[in-house]
Amino acid sequence: MVADKVAGMGRIAVIGAGMGALAAAARLAVAGHRVTVYERTQTYGGAVRRFERDGFGFDTGPALLPLPAVYRDLFVKTGKEPLEACVELVQVDPSARHVFADGTEVSLPNASRAGVVAALDEALGARAGQRWGDFLVRAREAWDRTRRPLLEEPLWPNWSVLADREPYPALPHRRLLRTRRAGTLAEVGAWELRDPRLAALLEGHALAYGLDPRAAPASAAVLPYMEHAFGTWYVRGGMRELARAVYERCVARRVEFVFDAEVTRVLEKDGRAVGVELAGGTSQAFGSGEGRVVEADFVVAPGSAAGLPARADGEVAPQQGLPSRLTVLLALRGARPEGSAHRTVVHTVDREGELESLFGAAPSVPARPTVTVLRPDDPGLVPDGDHEALVLSAVVPAGAEIRDEQVDALVAVAERAVPGLRDRALWREVRTPADIARETGAAGGAVPAPALAAAGGRLLHPGNSTGLQGLFTVGGWSHPGGGLPHAGMSGALVSGLIVEGPEFRGSQ
């Protein structure tokens, strides 16, 4: 029976219209399945949203795209028009400007090892660039060892191999008369980079995903490596344009969308998922209920941390207690200065205080956080050339209630990179963890991190197959975790598991 459903056309109910769900829906529709997406809000895209007011436009979720090849593959596999025919991709250069605690600044070229080494040498002193370059070589080894099992294949049944083995080839160090290897990202920074500014550069990549560098495994080195190797990209008009393009590809492949439709339960019969129940339906109404109960051969749902109304496999526990984001949208008078970096990271002047606030026993909003400043050079986001749209963001605890003085502190930190920022502000819009929770369904507005090897499996996510036959999970709270590229990969994995069955082993 299962084999027949895999081989033939099936009815597939997809819960939610996040990016992973959209990627799965488009691929499944091309494979011949009848796909319906049930989204509890009024729009698609999950966390990939846009806020508009007075001619200004802002991304309120992810604003930059690493690994665009994931979405290029999606568009190649689902239609004739390539990704670049549907959106305009722009490589961001410099990749980022960094303002360190001591006031030192450096702008790093996009996807250029030689350029990055030269820039670091000039800004931080001789040999700083070489130390970072040598680190990237080791990070590449970790990437090569984990790329397929972490990103391109379903989670192995023997996933504990990924949990126990540290793929980062850290250098041995003498400490307390013993030879040790760096086991955490913070130790990599302290022992191998040996400069607090290089360490901040390294740790900032983990912190951006809500990871504590003191606890994140050394394998988190793949996060800066991905950005270095594949570049950082912007979608003209904002990242919401990417969501629009994927949604329109789904519609072109005849995926049906039902908005304002909250799924309250996955229905099961004889150990298999057989449909979904929408808000207002009852289990006794299976097969009827005026559309409130929908039969399906397969169900694709978000992971449990985002409110999955069904059981998961239980092998790998989803991450708990992850931080969220505080985002401030600023409408500014005055044109964007020519040559401004698209992205500036203003590193905290109190590393220990920030980490203790975020990851200590009583999580709180840091008094002096690391702040990311986004200044896209995009005329489509402003009413005219005499204004600028600017986005500030910082990591805060999930569920945190945000006060005005905390927003003011964020803006004050950003002024280290944008002098006179407060004087230019026409108005501001604040996006809190509560807003993320409302838009994505994640408890407390938590934001999932990408899957990482080692660390005893703490940073792995539940597999896309579940303990209930016919039920699959997609998106940031399932394998391979959070992030725009990872969402696209999860959609490809779920599609492969449904179309090809449990023997599917990933893309080749």
Side-chain angles (χ1 to χ4, degrees):
M1 175 179 174
V2 175
D4 291 341
K5 287 182 178 178
V6 171
M9 179 182 291
R11 299 164 299 175
I12 300 180
V14 178
I15 303 173
M19 295 299 286
L22 294 179
R27 290 176 181 270
L28 289 166
V30 168
H33 294 280
R34 299 196 304 273
V35 183
T36 304
V37 177
Y38 299 93
E39 166 57 45
R40 65 183 183 83
T41 70
Q42 296 179 351
T43 190
Y44 54 83
V48 184
R49 301 289 181 104
R50 192 201 324 263
F51 177 83
E52 296 179 342
R53 174 181 163 187
D54 300 339
F56 291 88
F58 306 86
D59 283 319
T60 61
L64 292 172
L65 178 65
L67 273 177
V70 172
Y71 288 92
R72 290 189 179 113
D73 181 71
L74 171 65
F75 277 73
V76 166
K77 300 291 176 57
T78 59
K80 295 181 180 179
E81 286 187 314
L83 175 63
E84 280 80 353
C86 302
V87 299
E88 182 182 354
L89 283 178
V90 180
Q91 193 166 21
V92 175
D93 200 11
S95 173
R97 169 189 173 211
H98 293 267
V99 179
F100 298 108
D102 66 353
T104 306
E105 297 186 16
V106 62
S107 292
L108 300 181
N110 201 339
S112 169
R113 184 180 186 276
V116 167
V117 167
L120 289 172
D121 276 343
E122 180 178 355
L124 308 186
R127 297 188 61 80
Q130 180 180 338
R131 288 198 296 272
W132 184 260
D134 291 344
F135 157 75
L136 287 176
V137 171
R138 294 187 290 276
R140 178 179 179 175
E141 288 190 45
W143 169 262
D144 289 341
R145 293 171 181 174
T146 60
R147 176 179 57 86
R148 282 198 61 81
L150 272 179
L151 301 179
E152 298 177 359
E153 299 177 348
L155 192 63
W156 296 342
N158 61 335
W159 58 266
S160 60
V161 173
L162 281 172
D164 299 334
R165 180 182 301 166
E166 172 55 73
Y168 179 76
L171 299 176
H173 299 271
R174 297 289 295 179
R175 188 182 186 194
L176 300 177
L177 302 180
R178 298 178 60 188
T179 298
R180 295 186 57 187
R181 293 177 179 271
T184 68
L185 203 66
E187 290 174 341
V188 171
W191 299 355
E192 298 176 22
L193 298 178
R194 303 192 303 279
D195 184 310
R197 296 162 298 184
L198 288 179
L201 176 61
L202 172 65
E203 293 181 359
H205 286 84
L207 187 62
Y209 286 105
L211 297 172
D212 183 351
R214 303 168 302 179
S219 66
V222 300
L223 300 177
Y225 176 77
M226 284 171 55
E227 183 171 301
H228 161 76
F230 306 108
T232 303
W233 300 78
Y234 172 69
V235 177
R236 185 72 67 190
M239 203 56 62
R240 179 66 176 177
E241 289 300 293
L242 178 65
R244 174 198 55 77
V246 178
Y247 168 73
E248 290 180 354
R249 178 56 54 94
C250 287
V251 172
R253 300 282 81 84
R254 299 185 179 180
V255 175
E256 181 183 356
F257 286 84
V258 183
F259 295 104
D260 289 319
E262 182 178 2
V263 174
T264 57
R265 193 162 64 95
V266 174
L267 300 172
E268 59 180 283
K269 183 178 181 180
D270 298 328
R272 181 178 179 86
V274 293
V276 297
E277 180 180 296
L278 305 180
T282 63
S283 58
Q284 288 77 21
F286 181 70
S288 60
E290 299 180 8
R292 291 193 174 95
V293 174
V294 181
E295 296 184 64
D297 299 307
F298 299 95
V299 176
V300 178
S304 57
L308 170 66
R311 64 194 186 202
D313 57 19
E315 289 183 329
V316 181
Q319 301 174 58
Q320 299 295 327
L322 282 174
S324 183
R325 301 287 186 272
L326 168 61
T327 303
V328 182
L329 316 177
L330 287 166
L332 304 181
R333 62 173 63 87
R336 177 183 185 271
E338 186 175 354
S340 298
H342 186 119
R343 174 177 55 169
T344 299
V345 181
V346 185
H347 295 273
T348 181
V349 297
D350 182 11
R351 172 187 180 271
E352 292 303 321
E354 178 179 39
L355 296 181
E356 184 59 28
S357 292
L358 291 172
F359 307 108
S364 60
V365 177
R368 292 178 286 184
T370 294
V371 176
T372 298
V373 182
L374 296 172
R375 310 180 75 177
D377 183 11
D378 190 341
L381 301 182
V382 290
D384 54 51
D386 292 326
H387 294 86
E388 182 179 6
L390 188 144
V391 178
L392 311 178
S393 66
V395 177
V396 299
E401 295 186 5
I402 304 301
R403 303 189 304 272
D404 286 344
E405 55 265 33
Q406 293 165 332
V407 178
D408 293 338
L410 208 71
V411 177
V413 170
E415 281 200 306
R416 291 172 52 200
V418 188
L421 177 60
R422 281 173 283 196
D423 293 337
R424 294 178 57 198
L426 295 169
W427 50 262
R428 73 187 187 191
E429 176 76 15
V430 179
R431 311 290 290 178
T432 70
D435 295 310
I436 298 175
R438 183 178 64 254
E439 292 173 356
T440 68
V447 178
L452 294 173
R458 287 186 297 104
L459 297 175
L460 296 175
H461 294 259
N464 308 104
S465 300
T466 72
L468 182 62
Q469 193 175 27
L471 173 66
F472 299 85
T473 63
V474 74
W477 297 103
S478 57
H479 181 71
L484 273 176
H486 299 73
M489 294 174 201
S490 73
L493 292 174
V494 167
S495 173
L497 287 166
I498 291 176
V499 173
E500 299 185 28
E503 299 305 312
F504 173 68
R505 288 297 176 263
S507 58
Q508 300 298 319

